[in-house]
Amino acid sequence: MADLVTSLTEDATGYTKPAPKRRRQTIWTPHGELTPRQLARQARSLAERWYQALRAWDTRISSEVLSSNLAPPNGSGGNMRVVGVGNYGLAGATITYSHVHTPLGWISENALAATLRQHDGQLLDRIRAGQGLSTLLHASGRGWAGEQARNYARTALSVAASLGDPEALTCLQALTNAEES
């Protein structure tokens, strides 16, 4: 057996050829160059973080009072007062904002829901109803938990990319390329 291995690596003069060097394939990302395996791992991690954020739907509500006194802060000019039909009072109006915590930070709940409906309107409904997968990752943590998980991941990364997450676009392309090969 040793003679067979030796004959495969030696040429006619008896010179042993060095093993060919493997060229390591890397992919450029905004965070540096990654191997395809590292990029796939990063894509799974980011998709999982976005999916869990959509499942948890952790909201924060804040409000802001708009004053009816619209005078310039330097005191020049007269006071303006809101005039209209109804009981407005002198305090002004209150505007309430609702935000959802995501890997990108706090995002408007309305903007997130509208973006999600553009990509997959039924996904939000299934997640909010407590249906769907509990995680996108295989129990071993070394891959996807099936085709449905890949579909959820594609939607989650598409939503993230639409909302301006630069890492999501790279990961979405890596997910698409991995499925094509």
Side-chain angles (χ1 to χ4, degrees):
M1 184 70 170
D3 293 331
L4 178 63
V5 173
T6 305
S7 67
L8 293 176
T9 58
E10 290 181 2
D11 63 7
T13 62
Y15 174 73
T16 304
K17 297 179 195 177
K21 291 185 178 180
R22 289 187 182 179
R23 188 170 162 219
R24 185 174 168 183
Q25 179 187 7
T26 59
I27 301 166
W28 184 87
T29 67
H31 301 293
E33 291 190 6
L34 300 174
T35 65
R37 179 175 278 180
Q38 290 170 327
L39 188 57
R41 190 176 302 129
Q42 183 179 353
R44 286 192 302 269
S45 174
L46 184 63
E48 179 70 13
R49 288 194 315 258
W50 272 95
Y51 181 73
Q52 293 303 329
L54 295 174
R55 283 188 72 226
W57 206 263
D58 180 21
T59 58
R60 172 181 75 181
I61 297 176
S62 60
S63 58
E64 185 177 324
V65 176
L66 298 177
S67 173
S68 62
N69 183 3
L70 301 176
N74 61 6
S76 65
N79 289 338
M80 297 177 70
R81 186 170 292 178
V82 176
V83 178
V85 177
N87 185 10
Y88 291 101
L90 296 177
T94 302
I95 296 179
T96 304
Y97 302 99
S98 180
H99 296 87
V100 177
H101 190 260
T102 68
L104 201 54
W106 291 95
I107 295 179
S108 165
E109 184 175 23
N110 288 340
L112 180 59
T115 303
L116 191 54
R117 289 194 194 290
Q118 287 175 351
H119 291 280
D120 186 353
Q122 296 174 351
L123 177 65
L124 177 62
D125 298 333
R126 286 191 301 266
I127 291 173
R128 296 298 299 267
Q131 300 170 348
L133 302 172
S134 61
T135 181
L136 300 178
L137 303 178
H138 190 271
S140 68
R142 302 184 81 183
W144 298 108
E147 187 60 34
Q148 186 179 17
R150 280 189 204 83
N151 292 337
Y152 281 142
R154 192 177 307 104
T155 301
L157 290 173
S158 296
V159 168
S162 294
L163 291 170
D165 189 341
E167 188 180 355
L169 187 57
T170 304
C171 292
L172 183 61
Q173 290 171 345
L175 179 63
T176 304
N177 292 342
E179 289 174 350
E180 290 175 357
S181 60

